Amino acid sequence: MTALDGNAIAGLLHQVFGREMTTVNGVCASCGATRPMAELNVYLRAPGSVVRCASCEDVVMVLVTIRGITCVDLHGLDELEPAG
């Protein structure tokens, strides 16, 4: 499966969080790497969108839309921090 970057789910992230999220830094709970959401690896062919750390490849986020409701699992993120 080919990975896309985080820009592939920019619209979905905006829908869920109510703001532009591709420039927000995510901190991986597994390895501690800090990267903008746009630099994470996204796989769209799973049941939903699976987002993995670009450094260690652990799952940091899963987004699944069911009957118009998007459920988000952020178990692999230690924190989200503003860019800059």
Side-chain angles (χ1 to χ4, degrees):
M1 211 181 304
T2 303
L4 303 172
D5 66 27
N7 291 309
I9 57 169
L12 185 56
L13 291 173
H14 189 276
Q15 176 187 348
V16 169
F17 292 99
R19 62 172 284 208
E20 164 59 40
M21 293 296 291
T22 58
T23 60
V24 172
N25 289 319
V27 180
C28 177
S30 180
C31 72
T34 301
R35 294 181 181 271
M37 300 292 273
E39 293 181 10
L40 298 175
N41 295 327
V42 176
Y43 299 88
L44 299 176
R45 292 194 175 212
S49 300
V50 177
V51 183
R52 292 181 172 271
C53 175
S55 295
C56 72
E57 282 296 315
D58 273 5
V59 174
V60 295
M61 183 184 336
V62 178
L63 300 103
V64 179
T65 302
I66 302 169
R67 295 186 184 128
I69 297 172
T70 301
C71 300
V72 182
D73 179 350
L74 301 173
H75 75 276
L77 280 177
D78 250 357
E79 67 181 288
L80 292 171
E81 52 188 42

